[in-house]
Each structure stands twice: as structure tokens, then as C-alpha cells.
């Protein structure tokens, strides 16, 4: 071998080779690395076959989970799921997958760079979302859950055609519930109501986190409280919902909330006091103390949750204090598309100081949408669309920034 290499060198020298590069005897071309997201490789949760990584509630009357060979999104297998929580005597219903052979998965470095993805199609009527919750469990039993609402469905509706559902990992409150994202044991799906679907290709995919929602606002001159939103009357950009928009502003005396909502049965609410959430209403949760821990899971004395009833007898109710807010004003105007409203709440009635210029606080806004009978059919939330519980858990709130 040495004589052969010497021959090559001498031959090159004689022929005038431009460059001689020494190679190791065992140098090999670089091989492709395993697909990963910032080093996280356990990206495939389910493909094709139900294995010993999959478990589900063992009650055939309430839930049936089995392998499917015909209706598949990709490959040669999927999962068929039929469930009925109302069947009678049905306990907790769900399915878990301890993927990657039940090893501990370190997801801590990809919480802002990845999402849960799966493909689903119905066996009948369409769904705007899925009546499921999905959660990750660590090896201490800690669990982080989120809902599967329509905003997570590509196209907004699950039909009898394969549809992708994308749930950003930032939607799961790992820190808020002390879940160890560096040692994830399994994923769990919890079934509510009833239905029939196929599900396939469950995986972790690259996805950039949006972070918390942010609203910039500032002090304004007192608006004309007539139930109409005039051009330039409110300083901040609105919070946009699929059914309308909400403005949040203030001055030294009052907190102002106004909205323009599209609604086929506008401003119907037959409830009173603490029950006004069960009808057309707008809920506002917010802090009046800058610098508090945004990851806190309980209300501080400076946290507030109030509701604006949209109905024939409007009112503002303070759930934090358990009373109707005296001195508050609401004006509602119905129109062909729905309704507009304006409201003012004295800071003094909240026993709070107004927001301070240049400071940042936490806030969440929710729209309670009711049918013609005045019964709430859905709740739309600004920062936590997939997570119930903002009324008790400030870690679900977005941010409001007070400009000079």
C-alpha cells in the first residue's frame, strides 16, 4: 500500500498535478442525519400500526379504538376511533401513546419551535373542532393540556376528507402546571361528547411560536357613550376576532371597553349577576399591577375579572369581587349585522389605580356568543383560544402595553 501511494505522488509530481491532498484511509462521505428539530429526533408519534405504545380506555360500549387499513392518510395504516361519553356508565375516555418506545423525550428546547400535528377525517357530520383535549405527561405524572378548537384546524372544519390539525407546543402550559418538558412520557387524548373519526400521521413538526398576544393602548379623552364607535374615538388598534373587534382604552377615571360584533341574534342575554357569561357577553380579565409574574396560576388582589352583559338590561359584573359594579355605563346599538357597544367602568369601583404610561400588564378578552334563546354556544378568546380557565389562571393572559 505504501509503495502504491508513493507511486501516485511521484506520478503527480512528474505530470505537474496542481495539488496533492492527503486523505485518511477511512475517510467517508458525510451521511444524512436523522430528521430533527434543534436536536429533537422523536418526531413520529404514530404511523401505520397500533403497537404496545398505544393504550385506550378498555370499555367497548363507550369507546372503540382499532387499526384501520382502508381509510389511511399516508402509508398502510391509521386509527379508527368511535366514542360516546353519554352511553351510560362511561368513565374517563381517552387514548395514550408512549411513543419512541416509552423513553423520556426532551422537548424543552423545542417548545417555541414545534407543534403537534395529526390528520383526521370524520365518518359522518363535520366538526368545527374536536370535542377532545390533548395533553403531554411527564414521568412524575405532571400533565399539560389544551383543547382542539377550530382555529387549530387547517381550513377551520374537519370533514370526511383528510384534514390537518396543528397545535403549537406553546399552547400547552408546561410551566404553568410544573410539567417537566425534558422528560415527557406520553401524549394523551381525552374524548368528550361523542363521534366517529379516523386519525393518522401523528407527529411533531417544525412550527415557530407566535408568543403571547400583545395590545398597545394609551390614555384617551372620554368618548361619547352612545353605543356607536366613531372614527378616531379610540386610540388603540382593536383586538380582532372572527366575529368582530374589541377596543380597550382608559383615562385617569375610567376603563373603557367598546366592540363591534357580528351576530345573527345580537345582544341576547337573559342572565343576571354571576351567570351573565351564559349569554351574549364580553369578559375582560386584567392586572392593575405592573411587574407581577406573568406565569402565576392564581389571582392576586390586583387581578380582576369583569363581564359586560349584552341584553335588554345590560350590566357590568365583577367576578373577582362577587358584585355588580356600581357607576358603570353600557350603551348597546343593534344593527343589521349584529351590535356595537360602549362601556365605561370607574377605576374607583374596582378599587384600583389606572394603568401607568410606559408599563406592561397582563390581560385577556373573551367573547361569549349566544343563540336566539340567549344560551351561550361558544366562547372566543384572544390569547388562549385552546385553553379554558383564563378566569382563574392569569398565565393564560396576553399582554397590554401602555404607551406614553
Amino acid at each position: 500500500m505504501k509503495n502504491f501511494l508513493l507511486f501516485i505522488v511521484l506520478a503527480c509530481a512528474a505530470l505537474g498535478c496542481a495539488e496533492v491532498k492527503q486523505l485518511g484511509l477511512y475517510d467517508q462521505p458525510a451521511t444524512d442525519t436523522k430528521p430533527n428539530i434543534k436536536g429533537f429526533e422523536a418526531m413520529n408519534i404514530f404511523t401505520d400500526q397500533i403497537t404496545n405504545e398505544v393504550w385506550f380506555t378498555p370499555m367497548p360500549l363507550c369507546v372503540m379504538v382499532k387499526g384501520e387499513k382502508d381509510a389511511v392518510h399516508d402509508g398502510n395504516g391509521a386509527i379508527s376511533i368511535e366514542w360516546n361519553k353519554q352511553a351510560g356508565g362511561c368513565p374517563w375516555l381517552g387514548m395514550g401513546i408512549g411513543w419512541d418506545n416509552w423513553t423520556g423525550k426532551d422537548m424543552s428546547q423545542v417548545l417555541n419551535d414545534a407543534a403537534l400535528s395529526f390528520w383526521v377525517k370524520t365518518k359522518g357530520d363535520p366538526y368545527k373542532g374536536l370535542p377532545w383535549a390533548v395533553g403531554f405527561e411527564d414521568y412524575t405524572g405532571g400533565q399539560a393540556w389544551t383543547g382542539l378548537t377550530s382555529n387549530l384546524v387547517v381550513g377551520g372544519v374537519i370533514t370526511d376528507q383528510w384534514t390537518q390539525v396543528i397545535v403549537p407546543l406553546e399552547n400547552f402550559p408546561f410551566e404553568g402546571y410544573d410539567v417537566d418538558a425534558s422528560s415527557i412520557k406520553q401524549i394523551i387524548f381525552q374524548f368528550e361528547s361523542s363521534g366517529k373519526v379516523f386519525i393518522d400521521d401523528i407527529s411533531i413538526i417544525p412550527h415557530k411560536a407566535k408568543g403571547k398576544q400583545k395590545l398597545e393602548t394609551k390614555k384617551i379623552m372620554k368618548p361619547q357613550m352612545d353605543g356607536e364607535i366613531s372614527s378616531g374615538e379610540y386610540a388603540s388598534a382593536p383586538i380582532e376576532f372572527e366575529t368582530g373587534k374589541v377596543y380597550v382604552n382608559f383615562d385617569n377615571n375610567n376603563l373603557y371597553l367598546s366592540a363591534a360584533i357580528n351576530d345573527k341574534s345580537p345582544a341576547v342575554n337573559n342572565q343576571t349577576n354571576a351567570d351573565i357569561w351564559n349569554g351574549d357577553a364580553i369578559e375582560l380579565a386584567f392586572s392593575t399591577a405592573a411587574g407581577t409574574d406573568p406565569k402565576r396560576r392564581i389571582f392576586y388582589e390586583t387581578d380582576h375579572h369583569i363581564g359586560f352583559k349584552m341584553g335588554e338590561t345590560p350590566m357590568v359584573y365583577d367576578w373577582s369581587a362577587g358584585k355588580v359594579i356600581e357607576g358603570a355605563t353600557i350603551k348597546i346599538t343593534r344593527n343589521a349585522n349584529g351590535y356595537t357597544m360602549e362601556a365605561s367602568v370607574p377605576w374607583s369601583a374596582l378599587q384600583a389605580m389606572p394603568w401607568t404610561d410606559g408599563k406592561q400588564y397582563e390581560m385577556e378578552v373573551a367573547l361569549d356568543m349566544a343563540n336566539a334563546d340567549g344560551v351561550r354556544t361558544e366562547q372566543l378568546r384572544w390569547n388562549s383560544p385552546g385553553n379554558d380557565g383564563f378566569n382563574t389562571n392569569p398565565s393564560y393572559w396576553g399582554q397590554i402595553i401602555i404607551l406614553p
Side-chain angles (χ1 to χ4, degrees), residues 27-48:
D27 284 351
Q28 297 291 333
T31 57
D32 293 335
T33 59
K34 187 176 180 180
N36 69 89
I37 304 171
K38 295 179 69 173
F40 177 77
E41 297 182 344
M43 297 170 63
N44 292 326
I45 297 175
F46 171 84
T47 52
D48 296 341

Side-chain angles (χ1 to χ4, degrees), residues 98 156 200 222 283 317 363:
D200 199 2
K222 184 176 181 178
E283 299 183 39
Y317 188 81
M363 183 183 75

Side-chain angles (χ1 to χ4, degrees), residues 360-373:
Q360 178 176 297
Y361 304 84
E362 292 76 47
M363 183 183 75
E364 178 65 297
V365 179
L367 298 184
D368 297 320
M369 305 295 292
N371 58 23
D373 296 324

Side-chain angles (χ1 to χ4, degrees), residues 257-313:
L257 185 136
S258 56
I261 306 300
N262 297 321
D263 193 345
K264 293 180 180 179
S265 54
V268 181
N269 191 321
N270 304 316
Q271 307 298 325
T272 60
N273 299 340
D275 295 326
I276 64 171
W277 59 268
N278 193 20
D280 282 325
I282 302 176
E283 299 183 39
L284 182 67
F286 58 96
S287 172
T288 54
T292 51
D293 181 6
K295 298 176 182 177
R296 64 192 182 281
R297 289 183 289 161
I298 60 172
F299 270 52
Y300 291 177
E301 289 185 358
T302 50
D303 293 329
H304 307 268
H305 178 213
I306 62 178
F308 301 80
K309 173 186 173 181
M310 303 293 109
E312 296 299 331
T313 55

Side-chain angles (χ1 to χ4, degrees), residues 156-288:
V157 180
I158 298 170
T159 67
D160 59 359
Q161 301 298 311
W162 285 107
T163 304
Q164 189 178 21
V165 178
I166 300 175
V167 189
L169 294 189
E170 66 175 329
N171 285 24
F172 296 88
F174 290 96
E175 291 186 355
Y177 285 88
D178 297 326
V179 177
D180 185 359
S182 69
S183 182
I184 296 299
K185 176 182 179 181
Q186 64 178 328
I187 187 172
I188 305 174
F189 295 90
Q190 176 177 304
F191 310 143
E192 299 293 342
S193 186
S194 62
K196 302 177 181 181
V197 300
F198 299 107
I199 185 172
D200 199 2
D201 294 331
I202 308 171
S203 63
I204 303 297
I205 63 171
H207 182 88
K208 195 63 180 174
K210 292 181 179 179
K212 284 183 176 291
Q213 295 280 14
K214 296 181 180 180
L215 175 72
E216 294 182 342
T217 191
K218 60 184 178 180
K219 289 180 184 176
I220 61 171
M221 298 292 291
K222 184 176 181 178
Q224 184 178 354
M225 303 298 295
D226 56 5
E228 301 284 353
I229 299 176
S230 303
S231 177
E233 192 171 23
Y234 294 99
S236 69
I239 292 174
E240 300 279 356
F241 290 93
E242 59 187 75
T243 58
K245 57 186 66 176
V246 176
Y247 298 82
V248 180
N249 287 273
F250 74 105
D251 61 22
N252 285 334
N253 298 312
N254 297 291
L255 171 65
Y256 300 113
L257 185 136
S258 56
I261 306 300
N262 297 321
D263 193 345
K264 293 180 180 179
S265 54
V268 181
N269 191 321
N270 304 316
Q271 307 298 325
T272 60
N273 299 340
D275 295 326
I276 64 171
W277 59 268
N278 193 20
D280 282 325
I282 302 176
E283 299 183 39
L284 182 67
F286 58 96
S287 172
T288 54

Side-chain angles (χ1 to χ4, degrees), residues 326-346:
E326 300 295 336
T329 300
I330 301 182
K331 298 293 184 182
I332 302 170
T333 301
R334 293 176 176 83
N335 54 52
N337 298 319
Y339 68 89
T340 59
M341 62 79 68
E342 293 181 300
S344 67
V345 179

Side-chain angles (χ1 to χ4, degrees), residues 50-86:
I50 293 180
T51 67
N52 60 4
E53 296 178 338
V54 180
W55 62 269
F56 48 88
T57 305
M59 291 193 68
L61 178 65
C62 301
V63 60
M64 289 284 291
V65 177
K66 59 184 180 180
E68 170 64 32
K69 294 296 185 182
D70 296 325
V72 299
H73 171 255
D74 192 24
N76 56 27
I79 301 176
S80 169
I81 305 173
E82 299 185 11
W83 75 99
N84 186 355
K85 191 70 177 289
Q86 290 81 37

